[in-house]
Amino acid sequence: MISSLALIFILSLLAGELMRRIKLPRIIGMIFVGIIIGPYVLNLLSPEILSISAELRKIALIIILIKAGLTLNLDSLKKASRPALLLSFLPATFEVIGITIFAPLFFDITRTEAALLGAVLGAVSPAVVIPKMTELIEKGYGKNKSIPEMILAGASLDDIFVIVLFSSFLSANQSGEINLTSFLSIPVSIISGIALGAIVGLLVTSLFKRFKMRSEVRTIVVLAVSFTLITIEELIKPYFSISGLLAVVASSCIIKLKSDEGVTKELAKDHTRLWAGAEVILFTLIGAAVDIRYTLNAGLFAIVLLFLGLLVRTIGVLIALIKTPLNKKERAFVVFSYLPKATVQAAIGGVPLAMGLSCGSLILSVAVLSIIITAPLGAFLMDISYKKLLSKDN
């Protein structure tokens, strides 16, 4: 496993630097390195690291969510609360509806199977979007209208909504019935996640004020607490719906709000350093999870369907931004931010096939294709456009 980690860091950092020199986002190089050295192409990674790939990706995502919470301006987030809430479900809803309508025209599948495909494709990738929004908050781009905060919050909630849709449509394809009560878990998951995170954040802040600690120790405490919040979600998931990822962001926000400014800055600085390594692990292992063979089965119709879905998704984004002070350039940037797909598709794309559904191979093929096309495309468009489309607050 040590040799695999060395290979990941060396090749991904080199590829990231190459991408940077040709004015492309570094993560594009990392994703493609993962695809090439992963089990479906050269197979250079050890089975041990592949067996814990999902856990390593989750750790990396937790680190960037802590960093996001420590960076978020709560006053700015309040201003963007309505469009952030709409962005958490409208774009995904439009894309699911679009795929449900168009997919049976291209492929021999039922409407229920098309809805399941739409649910797999509907999620935006927090792994791609959140790091970029955190960077923009730090640089001051879009700050006057709280654009990065709005996108960050919307993207964090989007996954909860889409995974509930996926579970419901998966059940419908197995039993023929959609469980409408599962949709009640969405607001419960959001509210309970924020409440748990806020309580834990207050306890951690109290701990920091009562006991004198080095900044490194405080960072370890925040990491340990965040890992615990995710563990709590996994333990009680069968009985109660709660969002561990939202709890992590909420606890970090409360720590920032209630702690001394010096403590917050040190925590943010430490997590920035941690993210330098976690970023490489996250995007390389996302690439390694992509079974490139399935793209050959997808064909031209799958690419057309994918872009039709993105077009309908864009309509959902623009509707969510109605009655906001954003101008045309800023709205275009939000559209670009809602293009990338990676994390959720890599996690659930293969589930229908593993469960023996007849549409499983098609769904996995299109999910893989969506990662290969939209993750680099969305990252590229965000990277080249933010200076031109967003104003900078010094």
Side-chain angles (χ1 to χ4, degrees), residues 303-340:
I303 297 175
V304 174
L305 178 65
L306 189 61
F307 279 98
L308 281 173
L310 291 177
L311 181 63
V312 178
R313 180 185 189 82
T314 298
I315 297 171
V317 172
L318 295 175
I319 290 175
L321 298 177
I322 290 174
K323 292 187 178 180
T324 62
L326 276 63
N327 58 39
K328 289 180 181 179
K329 289 183 178 180
E330 292 161 341
R331 289 169 196 253
F333 180 79
V334 179
V335 169
F336 295 159
S337 302
Y338 265 73
L339 295 180

Side-chain angles (χ1 to χ4, degrees), residues 46-222:
S46 67
E48 291 83 5
I49 200 165
L50 291 172
S51 67
I52 60 170
S53 172
E55 296 301 316
L56 289 173
R57 296 201 307 266
K58 190 175 290 184
I59 289 170
L61 190 55
I62 289 169
I63 289 171
I64 192 58
L65 285 170
I66 295 170
K67 188 171 181 288
L70 293 170
T71 309
L72 268 176
N73 185 312
L74 292 179
D75 291 331
S76 297
L77 187 57
K78 286 177 187 176
K79 294 178 189 175
S81 57
R82 186 191 65 84
L85 181 62
L86 293 176
L87 284 170
S88 70
F89 70 91
L90 269 185
T93 301
F94 271 70
E95 185 166 12
V96 171
I97 292 171
I99 297 295
T100 304
I101 293 170
F102 293 121
L105 304 179
F106 296 105
F107 303 103
D108 185 20
I109 58 175
T110 65
R111 293 286 180 199
T112 311
E113 291 170 335
L116 182 61
L117 172 59
V120 170
L121 297 179
V124 70
S125 173
V128 178
V129 174
I130 290 175
K132 191 64 191 178
M133 295 309 114
T134 306
E135 178 191 335
L136 295 184
I137 292 170
E138 292 172 342
K139 291 181 176 178
Y141 281 95
K143 184 178 178 181
N144 59 333
K145 296 180 184 177
S146 310
I147 295 170
E149 289 89 348
M150 175 182 69
I151 296 170
L152 193 155
S156 299
L157 297 172
D158 169 274
D159 285 1
I160 300 170
F161 176 68
V162 169
I163 289 171
V164 170
L165 286 182
F166 172 76
S167 301
S168 299
F169 292 139
L170 187 64
S171 173
N173 276 276
Q174 290 176 298
S175 64
E177 295 180 0
I178 294 179
N179 183 9
L180 295 177
T181 57
S182 63
F183 289 93
L184 295 175
S185 68
I186 297 173
V188 172
S189 178
I190 293 170
I191 294 168
S192 59
I194 293 173
L196 176 63
I199 292 168
V200 169
L202 289 171
L203 291 174
V204 172
T205 306
S206 176
L207 184 69
F208 288 167
K209 289 180 177 179
R210 183 167 297 185
F211 299 99
K212 190 174 181 181
M213 303 179 189
R214 300 197 314 272
S215 64
E216 298 89 343
V217 176
R218 284 194 292 263
T219 298
I220 293 170
V221 169
V222 172

